[in-house]
Amino acid sequence: MPATTAEDEKRERRTRAVPELAQTSTPGAGGEADGVGETAAAASRISFTFPEWQKSIEATTNLFAAALRDGLKLAASSLHDQATFLKTLADSKTPSELLKCHVDFAEQSWSKSFSEGSKMLDHLKHSHRSAVS
């Protein structure tokens, strides 16, 4: 009997939270499974998002997706450069070649980081402006 009382209390709380459930809810022997289906049906009829919110969420998602895509491209390119650096380093025969290999890699890494980083920021600025307007 206490289980039935607890189920009735849960059902009553749900009907207060979602008024449309009060019309379809039947406190019978159907138990909790009927309440779940009714809750899902009522929730599908209620729209909790406004069009402005949905646009904002989509714009934010697109912004993060673009940033992630650009970041992953930079990471992949950097890993490729590091592999090339290690191959060149392994092929070096003299200390001057080793030093030149390190200097070239450092210069290339800094240059790529700044150029790709500025491209990413420009892309994010452009995406943000188009999302705002």
Side-chain angles (χ1 to χ4, degrees):
M1 194 63 150
T4 306
T5 305
E7 290 175 8
D8 290 341
E9 288 175 5
K10 288 179 186 177
R11 193 175 298 113
E12 185 178 330
R13 274 186 254 141
R14 277 193 304 244
T15 57
R16 274 189 249 135
V18 183
E20 293 166 351
L21 266 179
Q23 299 169 356
T24 59
S25 178
T26 57
E32 196 66 28
D34 290 338
V36 172
E38 293 165 0
T39 303
S44 67
R45 289 179 286 203
I46 299 173
S47 175
F48 289 107
T49 59
F50 297 105
E52 297 84 25
W53 289 6
Q54 186 146 1
K55 288 179 187 175
S56 176
I57 291 169
E58 288 173 1
T60 303
T61 303
N62 292 338
L63 182 69
F64 284 131
L68 181 62
R69 183 177 52 248
D70 291 343
L72 289 174
K73 284 181 184 178
L74 177 60
S77 176
S78 296
L79 286 172
H80 182 358
D81 292 345
Q82 289 175 3
T84 303
F85 164 70
L86 291 175
K87 184 179 182 306
T88 307
L89 198 62
D91 293 340
S92 298
K93 307 243 187 282
T94 64
S96 63
E97 287 179 358
L98 284 173
L99 184 60
K100 182 182 181 318
C101 183
H102 280 284
V103 170
D104 289 346
F105 177 70
E107 182 182 331
Q108 179 186 9
S109 295
W110 278 102
S111 173
K112 183 175 277 190
S113 294
F114 283 123
S115 67
E116 292 297 318
S118 66
K119 286 180 188 176
M120 286 171 54
L121 289 175
D122 289 343
H123 187 259
L124 287 175
K125 286 179 187 176
H126 174 70
S127 297
H128 178 68
R129 283 188 200 126
S130 63
V132 170
S133 47

